[in-house]
Amino acid sequence: MRRAFAILASGAFAASGCLVNDPRPPPGSLLVTASPDQAIATGVVSDDGWAVEYPRFLVSLGNASIEDEDGTCNHTYSDPTYQRVIDLSQGSGQKVNLAFGLGSCSLDLELSSPRGDSVLGKGVSAEDRDFMRTPASDDFVSDGGISIHVVGRATKAGVEKRFTWSYRFRVDYTTVGVSVGDQIARGLELEEDQRLTWDFPIRGAALLWDHREPSAAALRFDAIASADDTYGDGNGDVTLAELGAVPLADIAASDRYDDAASDWLTLQDFVYAGLFRRVVDANALEEEVFPNDRNPH
Amino acid sequence: MRVTRALVFFGLLVAGGPARAQDSAPIEVVVEGEKSAPGASALTRAEVRQVPGAFGDPFRAIEALPGVTPIVSGVPFFYVRGAPPGNVGYFLDGVRVPYLYHIGLGPSVVHPAIVQRVEFHPGGYPARFGRFAGGIVSAEVTAPRDDWHGEGNVRLFDLGGVVEGGFADGRGTVLLGGRYSYTGTILSLLVPEIKLDYRDYQARASYDFGPRDRVSVFSFGAYDLLGEPKDRGLDILFGSEFYRVDLRYDHVFSRDSALRYAVTLGYDQTRLSEFRNGHDEMIGSRVEIVHRASDDVTLRGGADVTVDAFAASDLEHEDPDNPELAQRNALFPERRDIAFGGYADVVAKVARDVEVTPGLRIDLYASGGTTALGVDPRISAVFRVSDDVRIVHAYGLVHQPPSFLGPIPGLVPGDLENGLQTSLQSSAGVEVALPDDVSAGVTFFHNAFFDLTDSLSISSLDPDLTEDRRAQGYAVGMELMLKRRLTRNLGGFVSYTLSRSMRSVGRESFPSAFDRTHVANAAIGYDLGRKWRAGTRAVFYTGTPKAYPANGLIVPPRPKAPERGPAFYRVDLRLEKRWQVGKQGWLSFVTEVMNATLSKETFASGTGEDTTIGPVTIPSVGVEGGF
């Protein structure tokens, strides 16, 4: 009918003038999901005896992008150009994005503060999204939005510590991968009409690591608790600023906090600059970090 | 009496010139009795040919007129007295068309040879025009001619031509024309990663069944494509097309009264994304009547109805949760839009030196189960102070359904839930005829805008272009025009616009994203003798407000008086050599450069780093000829 109408409206010229329909073969799809680790899902006991749990663990993740590394991937199908704010405390396998491609492809992922139209996951409210979109400053970012917002609680021997931390950097994960057994699979083989799922763990435990490499890390909270007790106001709330008062030199030993970057001076540096970006277990070949500020990067 | 001789149309009274006009291209066509509506500017083709940088294109020349604010140098989409491109209506011989220009810096979608005249109505226009809340660009094609004649051109990027003649002893005429670009071929050599293609056609046939009755069909269309060739095929970055067929019946009751009835079929289509096409199948019907009741009173009226069926091809491969998709689907739902309206006005000479044109237009809109009514009173007046001085006033209320960023075929927002866009347009000016065929004019204008769907003006650097955010605002300014016809041995013009265009959304009040305080054009053409003619034109405008990207963050309100980007200027050149071939034939060699100064344009940015593009320079070398 449409064709007939076009031809009637245009005379013979339209027959050759109409825009072509989609000549591409049907793509395969990749469902990107995120799941909490044990620390978020059920809580975890640290190696130094603290029972740590996360009542809320908000992550703004998305912009999953199918990429063509060597000309073997048709990535012209749509990319889901949006973020989803998910609360990992709400369960496993939460959808992040659905992407399409065909051939041998790779995947990029973005951790960044939400936009006004970011999709809300289960248990996440518009107020949560607005909160994460509201610029504020910390010791690392000026007027930035929030990529990760955690509300945690730790108890040990009748002592309770609470912490509410916001991470204001954006992390671009390039060529991400998932763990398959002991291996990391980064390449995607997408065939026509094939449906794949990649699930990315979100690691609450990463914030307790005493080493940047998970294989070498133990879970510790004593140093974090000391930020409130020894270096802070002792009110039970451990703030990032209080972590900033803990010199790494005071807590570093041969088996802990010993792989800090040279310009990290405090525990806040270690947690904020070193551990937060490891929360998303993206297995990326490359990570780029930018402030979540107003400037496009 | 031939139908043409007394056909009253477009508010113009054509009452004299024979259909067999013996005009060769350089001779200005002036139809007897023709006059512009108060406040409007008219451009004839002969004059436009001499405007450097317009490439002989009547529609491109509009950007040189007062009241027009460019977005980007050379891109023929513009603001008109503060109204964004999506609020500017384009009409070709009374037929609404989605756009008049090919993609990017392309030429118009109809061959210049068939355009007799273009009228530009920046505001307060006659009641005949409606359903747009900004300016109106109305082109009138040449009247049918029964003597065989034609015109063609070959340029660096395209070739085109028009041929027309008569049959059945002059009772019938037929016209064929079109343009084809071979930019694809050239670009494939120079920039193989880009494919750019455009073409258009025009066809018309008319037949006079008697001295008072004519039936004609006018069909035209255009196709544009921009893509990236890949091994797997062409990735289309932008593609659009539209086609129109206008079936007409013209009847002349007497020398003072005429009627046109027409049925229009249309098809518009644009590539959205993911190889989805948004399209519009349109059918419309209109009737227009003009009756000159006396030497001092002319009545004009008409009615029309259009039905647009909008749809998009099925989505196959996209994340259904993508908010952009949801917003797009909400903005462009599959639906049927109906617009029905009528208008009437009276051109009345109420005193010896006072002519008043009161009018009223009423439109009823229906879209996706919602309806809206637009009642648009208009009035204009011309006070003749002396033989050389006229005071012109024009006021009007205009309404428009929601519109998109610009005129894009098949992409018209649906849903009238948030009401119509409204503009209250007012202007007052003085026109002075000076000695030696020089004219001058100054006009002051004020447009008030209500509920504009103006994403282009209100967005920061990361705009949400699909959101139906309504903006209020106004534009106020002054326009100057000093002109001597470019067809004179020494001709030229100076146009200048001083304006401020503001928008407010919620608590924010800020200048429109493309507000430019000063816009000036100056052109001069000179007959060098021996049929050589040279011209140059300078374009200058000041910068736009600095944009402050939000990057998705909730940010403080924008300042009312932000910093601005740098000004821009360019100089265009034109040189023509003409030969007479036989009695009626002619041949021209034309070379033209837009932006001969290789000026780069810098856009304001809130990142601290301004964005500079260009130089966007278009050279054109071509041969034109006609018989």
Side-chain angles (χ1 to χ4, degrees):
Chain A
M1 170 64 186
R2 187 184 314 142
R3 191 82 171 176
F5 198 94
I7 291 172
L8 179 62
S10 62
F13 293 83
S16 61
C18 288
L19 292 168
V20 294
N21 291 319
D22 193 348
R24 301 171 302 177
S29 68
L30 175 70
L31 176 64
V32 178
T33 62
S35 292
D37 68 351
Q38 185 191 350
I40 300 173
T42 61
V44 69
V45 177
S46 68
D47 291 309
D48 50 12
W50 289 85
V52 181
E53 59 183 17
Y54 292 99
R56 299 209 82 190
F57 205 107
L58 298 177
V59 173
S60 175
L61 195 62
N63 287 327
S65 173
I66 297 282
E67 298 295 329
D68 177 26
E69 299 287 332
D70 52 10
T72 57
C73 172
N74 185 342
H75 64 137
T76 62
Y77 303 90
S78 71
D79 278 333
T81 52
Y82 71 96
Q83 300 117 313
R84 189 184 300 261
V85 184
I86 49 182
D87 181 357
L88 276 303
S89 69
Q90 297 290 323
S92 297
Q94 297 192 52
K95 177 180 175 181
V96 176
N97 287 150
L98 180 64
F100 297 88
L102 193 62
S104 299
C105 308
S106 64
L107 180 73
D108 293 350
L109 207 53
E110 182 182 300
L111 171 74
S112 57
S113 60
R115 309 177 76 87
D117 63 356
S118 290
V119 176
L120 304 177
K122 182 183 176 187
V124 179
S125 66
E127 288 72 23
D128 292 327
R129 181 177 55 196
D130 288 348
F131 166 70
M132 296 176 77
R133 293 177 61 213
T134 303
S137 300
D138 55 30
D139 288 347
F140 299 85
V141 176
S142 295
D143 294 324
I146 299 169
S147 301
I148 301 173
H149 180 71
V150 300
V151 177
R153 184 168 56 230
T155 56
K156 178 181 175 182
V159 176
E160 181 182 275
K161 294 293 178 187
R162 298 167 299 276
F163 55 99
T164 302
W165 297 339
S166 295
Y167 181 60
R168 300 181 186 276
F169 276 122
R170 182 184 107 194
V171 185
D172 289 354
Y173 300 101
T174 303
T175 313
V176 299
V178 291
S179 298
V180 181
D182 294 337
Q183 305 292 314
I184 295 173
R186 291 197 177 90
L188 270 168
E189 292 295 332
L190 286 166
E191 299 173 3
E192 290 185 19
D193 293 322
Q194 183 187 23
R195 295 182 180 183
L196 291 180
T197 298
W198 271 12
D199 187 61
F200 290 91
I202 305 299
R203 300 181 291 203
L207 298 177
L208 311 178
W209 290 350
D210 63 356
H211 198 284
R212 282 190 286 166
E213 282 305 315
S215 59
L219 305 185
R220 300 189 190 279
F221 199 80
D222 278 343
I224 296 172
S226 72
D228 180 48
D229 291 334
T230 308
Y231 300 90
D233 57 12
N235 68 352
D237 293 319
V238 185
T239 65
L240 286 172
E242 287 173 336
L243 293 183
V246 181
L248 271 178
D250 288 5
I251 59 174
S254 60
D255 63 342
R256 66 194 69 170
Y257 307 111
D258 61 345
D259 66 337
S262 59
D263 58 341
W264 295 352
L265 302 177
T266 69
L267 182 56
Q268 181 185 219
D269 295 334
F270 191 86
V271 172
Y272 200 103
L275 300 183
F276 259 112
R277 61 194 288 181
R278 313 304 305 276
V279 163
V280 179
D281 189 9
N283 294 304
L285 276 183
E286 190 179 338
E287 294 176 5
E288 284 189 282
V289 180
F290 309 96
N292 269 323
D293 57 22
R294 295 175 64 171
N295 295 320
H297 297 285
Chain B
M1 179 175 54
R2 297 272 313 231
V3 177
T4 310
R5 292 189 177 184
L7 179 62
V8 182
F9 197 51
F10 267 149
L12 309 173
L13 193 61
V14 181
R20 189 189 293 266
Q22 301 298 321
D23 52 332
S24 58
I27 300 170
E28 190 162 350
V29 178
V30 179
V31 180
E32 187 180 334
E34 150 187 312
K35 62 178 182 179
S36 300
S41 301
L43 297 168
T44 59
R45 199 223 163 186
E47 195 170 17
V48 165
R49 282 192 83 243
Q50 307 300 330
V51 177
F55 303 107
D57 192 329
F59 302 113
R60 273 193 166 274
I62 288 168
E63 68 181 16
L65 295 175
V68 176
T69 300
I71 294 176
V72 180
S73 168
V75 173
F77 294 106
F78 35 72
Y79 279 74
V80 176
R81 287 184 179 170
N87 292 67
V88 180
Y90 298 103
F91 293 87
L92 182 63
D93 241 15
V95 179
R96 170 177 57 100
V97 292
Y99 64 100
L100 285 175
Y101 316 96
H102 284 292
I103 188 170
L105 304 172
S108 64
V109 296
V110 294
H111 195 279
I114 73 163
V115 178
Q116 173 166 302
R117 173 184 162 97
V118 176
E119 276 209 340
F120 172 59
H121 303 268
Y125 31 81
R128 177 169 179 267
F129 297 111
R131 302 175 189 165
F132 288 94
I136 296 289
V137 177
S138 172
E140 184 182 1
V141 301
T142 54
R145 286 171 55 183
D146 59 7
D147 59 317
W148 282 97
H149 63 279
E151 188 174 325
N153 65 285
V154 181
R155 302 189 296 186
L156 274 180
F157 300 106
D158 59 19
L159 60 85
V162 171
V163 63
E164 183 181 31
F167 61 92
D169 296 328
R171 288 201 304 277
T173 67
V174 61
L175 176 148
L176 284 173
R179 177 150 37 196
Y180 179 79
S181 84
Y182 30 82
T183 46
T185 308
I186 293 178
L187 276 179
S188 66
L189 297 174
L190 300 175
V191 191
E193 59 270 26
I194 291 291
K195 176 180 171 62
L196 176 65
D197 192 12
Y198 62 83
R199 52 184 180 263
D200 58 65
Y201 78 93
Q202 303 86 45
R204 182 179 65 189
S206 70
Y207 192 84
D208 293 352
F209 285 94
R212 295 174 182 270
D213 298 282
R214 171 181 293 166
V215 173
S216 55
V217 56
F218 179 38
S219 178
F220 56 97
Y223 172 86
D224 285 275
L225 183 72
L226 176 67
E228 291 179 290
K230 303 280 187 184
D231 293 341
R232 55 183 170 266
L234 183 70
D235 288 352
I236 297 178
L237 302 175
F238 178 81
S240 74
E241 58 192 332
F242 77 88
Y243 307 96
R244 294 286 185 276
V245 176
D246 198 41
L247 305 161
R248 303 161 175 178
Y249 167 63
D250 291 306
H251 178 73
V252 175
F253 297 101
S254 69
R255 187 172 179 80
D256 296 322
S257 304
L259 169 149
R260 167 170 286 180
Y261 175 72
V263 174
T264 307
L265 298 175
Y267 183 79
D268 297 359
Q269 182 166 239
T270 289
R271 174 61 45 89
L272 292 170
S273 63
E274 253 296 272
F275 280 87
R276 296 177 73 205
N277 295 336
H279 51 85
D280 171 21
E281 296 166 0
M282 186 266 283
I283 185 167
S285 172
R286 68 185 190 279
V287 61
E288 294 171 301
I289 301 173
V290 175
H291 173 64
R292 185 158 57 191
S294 71
D295 287 345
D296 295 333
V297 177
T298 299
L299 307 171
R300 303 181 295 199
D304 76 307
V305 60
T306 59
V307 180
D308 291 273
F310 292 97
S313 51
D314 290 337
L315 169 71
E316 294 194 41
H317 316 298
E318 195 152 15
D319 186 339
D321 292 347
N322 193 338
E324 208 174 283
L325 171 71
Q327 288 166 358
R328 194 191 309 146
N329 288 343
L331 195 64
F332 306 117
E334 183 170 334
R335 69 195 193 273
R336 183 160 297 182
D337 284 3
I338 300 174
F340 171 71
Y343 72 90
D345 64 10
V346 183
V347 183
K349 205 169 183 178
V350 295
R352 181 169 165 268
D353 295 314
V354 181
E355 182 181 277
V356 180
T357 307
L360 179 67
R361 180 179 184 93
I362 298 176
D363 289 296
L364 179 64
Y365 304 91
S367 177
T370 55
T371 59
L373 180 70
V375 179
D376 298 359
R378 318 273 174 83
I379 188 165
S380 62
V382 178
F383 305 89
R384 189 183 301 276
V385 178
S386 71
D387 286 347
D388 297 326
V389 179
R390 302 193 322 159
I391 295 174
V392 179
H393 286 212
Y395 306 93
L397 186 65
V398 291
H399 289 91
Q400 180 180 0
S403 55
F404 196 44
L405 292 174
I408 302 175
L411 292 188
V412 177
D415 193 354
L416 301 166
E417 198 68 46
N418 294 325
L420 299 171
Q421 303 179 84
T422 303
S423 174
L424 179 59
Q425 304 173 331
S426 55
S427 66
V430 179
E431 299 172 354
V432 182
L434 299 170
D436 216 13
D437 202 20
V438 176
S439 61
V442 57
T443 301
F444 298 88
F445 69 87
H446 182 280
N447 286 354
F449 302 118
F450 308 96
D451 296 326
L452 289 189
T453 54
D454 185 10
S455 300
L456 197 61
S457 300
I458 66 175
S459 297
S460 53
L461 285 186
D462 51 353
D464 183 353
L465 301 177
T466 58
E467 193 178 8
D468 183 7
R469 291 176 72 196
R470 298 302 180 105
Q472 321 303 318
Y474 68 88
V476 60
M478 177 193 73
E479 302 161 354
L480 290 171
M481 184 72 167
L482 180 67
K483 177 182 173 184
R484 189 179 195 226
R485 287 184 187 278
L486 277 164
T487 46
R488 298 290 299 259
N489 282 350
L490 175 63
F493 64 83
V494 175
S495 72
Y496 169 72
T497 305
L498 171 70
S499 67
R500 173 69 71 243
S501 180
M502 297 292 290
R503 295 288 185 276
S504 59
V505 179
R507 293 177 298 117
E508 281 189 297
S509 183
F510 49 89
S512 165
F514 289 91
D515 174 58
R516 299 186 189 277
T517 307
H518 308 280
V519 179
N521 280 265
I524 189 168
Y526 184 64
D527 188 341
L528 301 170
R530 303 173 73 96
K531 295 198 181 289
W532 283 91
R533 188 169 184 89
T536 185
R537 170 185 168 207
V539 179
F540 169 85
Y541 46 78
T542 51
T544 54
K546 289 232 176 192
Y548 298 88
N551 237 6
L553 300 174
I554 297 172
V555 296
R558 282 169 271 191
K560 282 187 176 180
E563 290 180 69
R564 286 175 179 266
F568 172 81
Y569 76 93
R570 70 166 207 255
V571 174
D572 307 333
L573 303 172
R574 183 177 188 277
L575 182 67
E576 177 181 3
K577 167 66 176 170
R578 195 176 188 87
W579 296 271
Q580 192 71 30
V581 180
K583 193 174 179 183
Q584 291 188 39
W586 56 276
L587 197 64
S588 276
F589 171 76
V590 181
T591 180
E592 196 161 357
V593 182
M594 192 199 81
N595 191 16
T597 42
L598 304 178
S599 301
K600 296 181 179 181
E601 189 157 13
T602 300
F603 292 93
S605 166
T607 63
E609 295 180 9
D610 288 343
T611 303
T612 300
I613 62 167
V616 178
T617 294
I618 307 177
S620 175
V621 178
V623 176
E624 303 174 8
F627 65 91

